[in-house]
Amino acid sequence: MKRTIVTLAATFMIAVLMANPAISEAQSTLHRILEAGEIRVGTTGDWNPMTVRDPTTNTYRGFDIDVVTELAKDLGVRLVFVPTEWKTLVSGMVAGKYDISTSASVTPSRIRTVGFTRSYFQVGTVPVALKKDISRFAGWEDINRADVRVAVTLGTSFEQQVKQFFPRADIKAVEAPARDFQEVLSGRAQVSITSNLEASQLVQTYPQLAVVPVDKPRSPADLAFITPQTDQVWINYLNHWITIKKNQGFFQELQERWMP
């Protein structure tokens, strides 16, 4: 008897969902965006060349900014940027403050609480130091010393990496809007850790900086949009959109523009 009741109830629910597909999709971020006419994008604005905020105009530029601008255009909605920090990037998504973030590294700790799209770029980790001090460091192990202070930005994927890479070093985590490389520029740290992508931009912007001549970058990481963890409708849309844009050469064009 119980089995019959359960079967009838399940059949009824399936029939209701089939008759009213909007019920099953009511929580989809995609449909909320289309109904609201806007997409909210969380971004830190401090990761050159991916996302850079101009404080005088409160506008954003960069590789990721061009990506989400194109996404909003294809969705036919208005683009709204929501300022966030690396330490609150994941919690902001969990709290529903934005619909996606600009790119972030896909890490085991992050995928416990949020979703990610397929990757559209890859980076590795490298150390940066003052050019005048570069002779002190011939490789990774030269940094792992008690007399070396290593700066890292709080809440980034690099924060956990430095603890693993340099257990003997003096690690200093700085909180945004301050950045790790600024500690090196000021002499308050000897090394900072960042992606090879950002490092290539830093050494152009600040000629006094140089990438430490390590044998190769560590911790290769995929970059992707952060999404709500359980919203498969939204994740599917974004994954297909990324595939289409890759096939059209869109990401290659952006790479040539922002990473010549």
Side-chain angles (χ1 to χ4, degrees):
M1 184 67 177
K2 287 184 178 179
R3 182 177 299 175
T4 301
I5 293 173
V6 170
T7 301
L8 288 172
T11 303
F12 174 76
M13 287 303 299
I14 292 171
V16 169
L17 291 173
M18 290 178 64
N20 300 278
I23 294 176
S24 61
E25 299 175 349
Q27 301 304 312
S28 171
T29 302
L30 173 61
H31 294 88
R32 190 205 61 76
I33 289 170
L34 295 175
E35 290 173 5
E38 68 176 30
I39 180 172
R40 302 167 302 157
V41 179
T43 191
T44 61
D46 64 352
W47 189 16
N48 191 17
M50 305 306 276
T51 169
V52 181
R53 176 180 171 272
D54 184 342
T56 60
T57 60
N58 196 32
T59 57
Y60 294 86
R61 61 179 177 84
F63 183 103
D64 276 347
I65 303 306
D66 285 353
V67 172
V68 295
T69 299
E70 183 77 0
L71 175 62
K73 176 185 173 183
D74 286 348
L75 282 165
V77 298
R78 185 168 67 98
L79 176 60
V80 177
F81 289 111
V82 180
T84 187
E85 299 177 1
W86 290 106
K87 67 176 183 179
T88 57
L89 188 63
V90 168
S91 61
M93 177 60 68
V94 174
K97 293 183 178 180
Y98 27 87
D99 305 310
I100 60 170
S101 76
T102 47
S103 65
S105 299
V106 182
T107 65
S109 61
R110 285 172 175 166
I111 60 177
R112 288 201 296 262
T113 51
V114 292
F116 278 92
T117 64
R118 64 169 297 193
S119 173
Y120 56 87
F121 205 82
Q122 289 185 321
V123 295
T125 299
V126 295
V128 175
L130 288 176
K131 192 176 292 184
K132 68 180 183 67
D133 296 333
I134 207 72
S135 60
R136 292 183 58 186
F137 311 109
W140 289 104
E141 279 309 307
D142 290 336
I143 302 171
N144 188 27
R145 300 199 312 254
D147 62 341
V148 177
R149 172 168 282 187
V150 181
V152 65
T153 302
L154 188 68
T156 62
S157 59
F158 307 110
E159 186 181 3
Q160 294 302 315
Q161 290 179 28
V162 296
K163 296 174 183 178
Q164 176 187 352
F165 296 164
F166 314 120
R168 293 192 293 273
D170 178 14
I171 297 171
K172 181 178 183 181
V174 297
E175 189 168 354
R179 283 298 312 278
D180 47 273
F181 68 87
Q182 294 170 337
E183 297 296 301
V184 175
L185 287 170
S186 67
R188 293 188 294 268
Q190 288 73 53
V191 175
S192 69
I193 299 297
T194 188
S195 67
N196 53 353
L197 175 60
E198 183 178 46
S200 67
Q201 301 293 315
L202 288 174
V203 298
Q204 293 182 45
T205 305
Y206 305 99
Q208 60 270 52
L209 292 177
V211 177
V212 174
V214 293
D215 54 350
K216 62 180 180 180
R218 285 183 171 179
S219 299
D222 292 323
L223 300 184
F225 292 132
I226 295 179
T227 67
Q229 189 178 51
T230 60
D231 194 341
Q232 198 59 52
V233 172
W234 181 220
I235 294 172
N236 283 345
Y237 175 87
L238 292 169
N239 284 342
H240 288 304
W241 183 86
I242 290 169
T243 298
I244 291 169
K245 292 300 178 180
K246 275 193 170 184
N247 292 340
Q248 292 175 346
F250 173 70
F251 289 99
Q252 183 61 40
E253 291 174 5
L254 290 188
Q255 186 172 343
E256 292 170 0
R257 175 184 177 187
W258 291 104
M259 309 160 197

